[in-house]
């Protein structure tokens, strides 16, 4: 295993390092503010926002444990942190790859039940059941990754193209099993759920807006109890749609590269996998921006945090004067 990056010009080192540093800072600041917004404002502590915060926590893990090490590797031109840190870095890399799609699938299913099958919402997504769904998704993935590493089923090695450590398979059979268990479930099933759920959500909202279907504001559930979907719920669904769109756009380069590596014998230039890594980091950075632009509650809370911080700085400056 080689730990060195290929020779680069000073200009290229500066550009690569600066982009990685900017993405890390944006992800760290934005997702921290997102978590603080929910902590400060009880009105934002909804079931759907539970999954948003879970996604944000996953992004924070990436921003604190993965991005800084990749940044420093790009600065010095080689991996200098040893094999132990590489194992942790690779674990976080794989977790950050597979966990977000599954969390978004839960979010999409939550929105589907809330908009399309409103009467079942409180039964399926009660506060404790919502946490249980999330716990199961995260626990199963973490358990698999830990057990697979502890029994030496697979390991993590430094990948020069990504300037990061990632999973390596000892045999093709183990690689096939890994893809069948993890990729099919956390990618394939997740995106199938997302597609089907949002197809029904968009269809229901469009029918309501055109007045050709039953009103979303009044529905009857399985127990005959009247339930309501507010305008705010529809806006939240549209916000989640924007988040999913941004995520898909950021991950298209990774899927394209995976297919290219799988079926093409021609190696790609080093800039391509690094470009893909930056897009993955970007997916961890743009969600707070989307929430700030499309969600009034988060936007108001972000504004309060920014202006309160400015107000405290102005007050301290005034005291010194």
């Amino acid at each position: 295993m080689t730990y060195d990056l290929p020779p680069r010009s000073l200009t290229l080192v500066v550009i690569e390092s600066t982009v990685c540093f900017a993405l890390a800072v944006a992800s760290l600041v934005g997702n921290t503010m997102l978590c603080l917004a929910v902590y400060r404002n009880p009105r934002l502590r909804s079931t759907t926002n539970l999954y948003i915060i879970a996604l944000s926590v996953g992004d924070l893990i990436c921003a604190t444990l993965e991005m800084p090490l990749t940044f420093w590797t790009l600065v010095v031109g080689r991996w200098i942190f040893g094999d132990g840190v590489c194992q942790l870095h690779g674990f976080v890399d794989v977790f950050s790859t597979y966990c977000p799609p599954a969390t978004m699938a839960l979010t999409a299913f939550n929105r589907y039940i809330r908009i399309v099958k409103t009467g079942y919402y409180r039964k399926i997504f009660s506060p404790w059941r919502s946490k249980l769904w999330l716990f199961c998704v995260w626990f199963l993935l973490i358990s698999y990754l830990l057990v697979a590493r502890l029994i030496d089923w697979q390991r993590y090695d430094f990948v020069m193209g990504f300037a990061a450590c990632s999973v390596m398979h000892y045999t093709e059979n183990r690689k096939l099993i890994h893809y069948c268990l993890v990729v099919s479930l956390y990618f394939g099933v997740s995106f199938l759920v997302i597609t089907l759920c949002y197809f029904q959500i968009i269809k229901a909202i469009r029918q309501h807006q055109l007045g050709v279907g039953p009103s979303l504001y009044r529905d009857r559930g399985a127990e005959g109890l009247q339930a309501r979907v507010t305008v705010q719920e529809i806006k939240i669904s549209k916000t989640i749609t924007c988040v999913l769109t941004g995520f898909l756009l950021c991950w298209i380069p990774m899927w394209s590269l995976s297919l290219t590596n799988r079926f093409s014998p021609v190696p790609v230039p080093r800039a391509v996998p690094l470009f893909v890594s930056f897009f993955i980091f970007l997916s961890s950075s743009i969600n707070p921006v989307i929430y700030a632009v499309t969600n009034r509650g988060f936007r108001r809370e972000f504004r309060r945090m920014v202006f309160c911080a400015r107000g405290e700085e102005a007050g301290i400056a005034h005291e010194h004067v």
Side-chain angles (χ1 to χ4, degrees):
M1 178 178 67
T2 177
Y3 292 94
D4 294 312
L5 298 180
R8 299 165 297 158
S9 66
L10 178 60
T11 302
L12 188 58
V13 171
V14 172
I15 293 175
E16 293 176 353
S17 305
T18 301
V19 171
C20 187
F21 180 78
L23 291 173
V25 171
S27 180
L28 182 62
V29 173
N31 287 292
T32 299
M33 291 182 64
L34 195 65
C35 293
L36 286 175
V38 176
Y39 174 78
R40 288 160 52 101
N41 190 343
R43 293 183 179 181
L44 295 177
R45 298 172 195 171
S46 64
T47 301
T48 302
N49 286 349
L50 169 68
Y51 299 123
I52 290 175
I53 292 303
L55 189 64
S56 184
V57 169
D59 291 339
L60 279 174
I61 293 174
C62 179
T64 54
L65 297 179
E66 182 177 5
M67 294 186 193
L69 299 182
T70 297
F71 161 73
W72 194 246
T73 300
L74 291 172
V75 171
V76 300
R78 71 187 312 268
W79 179 265
I80 62 173
F81 304 103
D83 184 67
V85 177
C86 184
Q87 300 308 302
L88 174 63
H89 193 251
F91 177 89
V92 173
D93 175 76
V94 177
F95 176 81
S96 300
T97 298
Y98 296 129
C99 197
T103 305
M104 287 186 172
L106 275 177
T107 309
F109 185 61
N110 174 279
R111 290 291 86 202
Y112 167 75
I113 297 297
R114 187 70 183 99
I115 299 297
V116 182
K117 301 291 183 181
T118 311
Y120 296 93
Y121 187 76
R122 292 185 179 180
K123 183 178 180 180
I124 297 177
F125 285 102
S126 62
W128 74 270
R129 285 184 178 176
S130 299
K131 296 174 184 177
L132 179 62
W133 297 127
L134 186 61
F135 172 80
C136 289
V137 168
W138 281 43
F139 178 77
L140 288 175
L141 178 60
I142 291 174
S143 298
Y144 165 77
L145 295 178
L146 286 177
V147 171
R149 184 63 194 93
L150 290 174
I151 66 175
D152 206 29
W153 176 267
Q154 60 192 23
R155 62 175 283 108
Y156 304 106
D157 288 333
F158 180 71
V159 181
M160 181 189 66
F162 294 111
C165 295
S166 191
V167 64
M168 294 294 175
H169 305 280
Y170 290 113
T171 65
E172 285 297 320
N173 288 336
R174 294 184 182 185
K175 184 176 182 179
L176 179 62
I177 293 173
H178 171 81
Y179 273 82
C180 291
L181 287 176
V182 179
V183 179
S184 62
L185 180 62
Y186 280 82
F187 263 128
V189 174
S190 294
F191 281 107
L192 179 63
V193 170
I194 290 171
T195 302
L196 294 177
C197 287
Y198 266 89
F199 175 79
Q200 294 296 327
I201 291 170
I202 294 172
K203 180 180 177 182
I205 293 176
R206 181 172 176 79
Q207 287 179 343
H208 168 74
Q209 292 174 338
L210 295 176
V212 297
S215 175
L216 291 178
Y217 299 127
R218 190 179 299 272
D219 189 17
R220 292 189 177 274
E223 300 177 357
L225 298 177
Q226 193 177 73
R228 293 179 181 274
V229 177
T230 64
V231 175
Q232 183 63 24
E233 292 289 348
I234 296 178
K235 290 182 178 179
I236 291 174
S237 297
K238 293 179 178 179
T239 298
I240 302 299
T241 303
C242 294
V243 172
L244 290 172
T245 302
F247 181 84
L248 291 173
L249 291 177
C250 288
W251 278 84
I252 284 176
M254 169 59 82
W255 298 326
S256 301
L257 179 62
S258 298
L259 290 174
T260 300
N261 289 338
R262 188 69 177 175
F263 298 105
S264 175
V266 180
V268 298
R270 172 189 167 271
V272 174
L274 186 63
F275 180 78
V276 167
S277 294
F278 287 163
F279 261 87
I280 294 175
F281 292 164
L282 179 64
S283 71
S284 298
S285 309
I286 62 174
N287 288 344
V289 177
I290 294 175
Y291 297 132
V293 171
T294 61
N295 188 289
R296 182 179 300 176
F298 280 109
R299 183 167 62 250
R300 185 183 299 116
E301 201 60 41
F302 289 165
R303 191 177 296 136
R304 287 175 180 172
M305 282 188 279
V306 171
F307 284 111
C308 282
R310 289 181 179 176
E312 291 176 359
E313 291 178 359
I316 293 174
H318 180 73
E319 289 178 1
H320 283 291
V321 173

